[in-house]
Amino acid sequence: MDLETFPADRAGALARLHDFAPRMGRAYAEGRNSDPGPGQRRDVSRLSPAVRHRLVTEEELIGAALAAHGAQAAEKFIQEVFWRSYWKGWLELRPGVWDAYCRERDAALAGATGGMRKALDRAMAGATGIACFDAWAEELRATGWLHNHVRMWFASIWIFTLRLPWTLGADFMLRHLLDGDAASNTLSWRWVAGMQTPGKHYVARAENIRRHTLGRFDPEGELDENPLPLAAPAPPPLRPLPRADALPAGPFALLLHEDDLHPESLLPAGAPVAAIAGIAVPEARSPLGCAPIVADHARAALADGLTRAAAAFGAPSVSL
């Protein structure tokens, strides 16, 4: 398998952004749903791990798209950038949805015995006998990334064909994705299952997979293409976010974490930063931890963020 690569530093991410900017318009709109396979993807940016850690910002992505193509031609790319922001805001206002996911995931992990355990192990190992699904499971484990359309197919097959608990599929992805994000991952799995928008589920169909993988896969007769959506209770009421604290009047320490490694945009120029610390605990994503490539990527991104923060604020930095 040709392995995809993903920069874990801002300079590398900006270089990829620059290289992809010419394709953020028509090429992206027309080609984003097709996956020609590892090493052949020209119409998706593969910047999601950098955006997840804010090595580059949503504003920078949108600015590059507008500068290269204008609002109309870049509309689809800009919409996809905003989806991530929307998912994060949606979940932040409804933390009970994350709490419920964690409870259901933990119960499913505890109950995964016997035949369920074997079926779960086959799915995660890429040994189901469904060629496309097995290849995607292998690619996820090897590279820490999947094409967005593939993620939808993968989740749909996991839920509706393999009939495995959706929370364990979401957990498997969260542990292996370099861009694993609680909001985007959890809510996307809920959407595929028909729980996020009640009654509206996403069904993986053989014809769609054949067409959008350019004939690399054809799971004709292998998929359940007529499933019912999963039921879910209504989300809990909105919980307003607390107002951010004001900056201290005197010198203070700055703590960086893996969710925001763009310290240059966090504080005004000349802020009296006395010291900088950084912490990344990607293993906290799941009771099962995370894949080694995920941990390595997160900590490399943190190291880059700390170096830039030290230079920006003229203060010593340390990784905790």
Side-chain angles (χ1 to χ4, degrees):
M1 176 188 295
D2 293 327
L3 296 184
E4 304 279 8
T5 60
F6 302 92
D9 63 291
R10 177 164 168 78
L14 286 175
R16 176 162 293 182
L17 187 158
H18 177 269
D19 291 345
F20 186 71
R23 306 194 68 79
M24 289 178 176
R26 180 176 178 180
Y28 178 82
E30 294 181 354
R32 69 187 184 91
N33 281 330
S34 293
D35 181 18
Q40 306 298 316
R41 298 164 179 137
R42 298 192 308 141
D43 295 328
V44 292
S45 72
R46 293 168 295 128
L47 276 167
S48 55
V51 179
R52 183 259 181 270
H53 295 295
R54 279 195 101 228
L55 294 172
V56 295
T57 68
E58 290 90 340
E59 182 179 4
E60 289 172 322
L61 290 175
I62 292 169
L66 290 174
H69 304 282
Q72 184 173 357
E75 180 180 11
K76 181 52 66 176
F77 182 83
I78 292 170
Q79 286 176 348
E80 294 304 310
V81 174
F82 274 119
W83 266 114
R84 179 179 183 275
S85 300
Y86 171 76
W87 284 139
K88 288 185 75 68
W90 194 96
L91 191 61
E92 285 176 342
L93 293 171
R94 302 167 181 84
V97 172
W98 173 255
D99 294 339
Y101 156 75
C102 290
R103 289 193 299 271
E104 190 173 341
R105 174 203 63 198
D106 293 349
L109 284 172
T113 60
M116 173 61 73
R117 179 74 257 173
K118 293 178 181 178
L120 183 63
D121 288 344
R122 285 195 298 269
M124 293 189 295
T128 67
I130 302 173
C132 58
F133 183 93
D134 293 346
W136 298 330
E138 179 185 355
E139 183 180 354
L140 176 60
R141 295 194 315 274
T143 71
W145 189 85
L146 287 175
H147 186 286
N148 186 62
H149 205 171
V150 168
R151 299 183 196 203
M152 296 164 61
W153 291 326
F154 186 95
S156 183
I157 294 171
W158 180 289
I159 295 167
F160 299 123
T161 295
L162 301 178
R163 301 194 180 281
L164 295 169
W166 78 269
T167 53
L168 298 190
D171 179 71
F172 176 61
M173 269 198 184
L174 190 60
R175 289 186 284 116
H176 286 84
L177 285 172
L178 299 180
D179 61 24
D181 171 84
S184 295
N185 188 66
T186 306
L187 301 182
S188 294
W189 274 81
R190 282 172 50 90
W191 183 81
V192 168
M195 301 166 64
Q196 188 67 18
T197 304
K200 184 177 177 60
H201 55 326
Y202 179 82
V203 179
R205 302 189 186 280
E207 186 280 330
N208 187 261
I209 293 172
R210 181 174 60 251
R211 174 158 46 95
H212 284 294
T213 61
L214 311 184
R216 290 186 302 122
F217 298 113
D218 184 5
E220 184 68 34
E222 298 178 325
L223 310 180
D224 184 346
E225 299 192 15
N226 295 287
L228 295 175
L230 302 188
L238 297 180
R239 183 188 300 176
L241 298 176
R243 186 179 297 275
D245 295 335
L247 286 177
F252 58 87
L254 174 64
L255 177 64
L256 294 184
H257 54 81
E258 64 168 314
D259 285 336
D260 194 339
L261 295 175
H262 193 259
E264 301 92 334
S265 65
L266 294 176
L267 297 168
V273 177
I276 304 163
I279 185 168
V281 191
E283 294 85 357
R285 294 183 183 188
S286 165
L288 300 179
C290 70
I293 58 171
V294 171
D296 291 344
H297 186 90
R299 292 192 169 96
L302 178 69
D304 180 70
L306 284 171
T307 298
R308 286 182 286 106
F313 300 112
S317 66
V318 62
S319 180
L320 301 178

